[in-house]
Structures are given as structure tokens and as C-alpha cells.
Amino acid sequence: MARELTDSYSDVPAHYGTLSIAPTLLNGQVVKVTIMGDSDGMAYLSDLLKYMAELDVELRNMPDGARAHFPLRPGLQLHELSCEVEICRAEAKGSGELPF
């Protein structure tokens, strides 16, 4: 069941724990992504994924065709040695169209 949410991201789970997400490159190509964290960091990531899974994009104040996304940034939600990561809901508001 989707939750009703406000227009802001004020209801996003607060950051806790230590979490690192980084790619492994081979000949300039990403061949693997490693997600590491302590138990709290892994629980935080789980909470974020659950939040995005339950997000009702139709209740968000965004234009039709837009997709909800939440960035994870090194030094903020992620360990400083991580790469920036974006968690996105694939369904577009209004149509439910998928980008792939």
C-alpha cells in the first residue's frame, strides 16, 4: 500500500550508520558495484529503498512524466570514498511509463 506523502522529502528516512557504494572499473567500464556498510548503514539503505518502493508518485507535486529520485552523496549520506548514487522510481507520474 502506497503512503500519502508531502511535497517535500521531509519524510525520507534520516541518515544513520556508515554506507559506501563504489564501482569497480575495468578498461574504463563499470564491471561491478560494491555496497558496503555497517549494520546501521545497511538498514538505512533498506529504509531508503522501502521508502522509494512505497512512494505514491501520483500524490507528489511534480509534473506529469517526471520520476521521483533521491540522491545519495559522498560525505553526506555515503562515506567520503563513495561515488554519488541516485535512487529512482522508474514509473513516470501520470502515465506509469517505464524508461526502459
Side-chain angles (χ1 to χ4, degrees), residues 5-85:
L5 302 172
T6 62
D7 291 342
S8 71
Y9 281 106
S10 62
D11 57 345
V12 172
H15 171 252
Y16 57 97
T18 302
L19 184 64
S20 176
I21 302 175
T24 299
L25 302 174
L26 180 64
N27 299 324
Q29 297 291 324
V30 175
V31 294
K32 175 175 74 171
V33 174
T34 302
I35 300 172
M36 296 188 318
D38 60 15
S39 61
D40 286 340
M42 298 304 279
Y44 169 65
L45 179 59
S46 172
D47 288 348
L48 285 174
L49 293 172
K50 185 171 170 68
Y51 169 84
M52 291 302 284
E54 294 177 349
L55 183 68
D56 187 340
V57 295
E58 297 305 320
L59 297 178
R60 300 294 295 198
N61 183 19
M62 56 188 199
D64 282 350
R67 292 177 169 83
H69 56 92
F70 185 78
L72 300 175
R73 295 188 178 104
L76 297 175
Q77 300 86 3
L78 298 173
H79 187 271
E80 299 84 31
L81 299 178
S82 298
C83 63
E84 186 168 333
V85 175

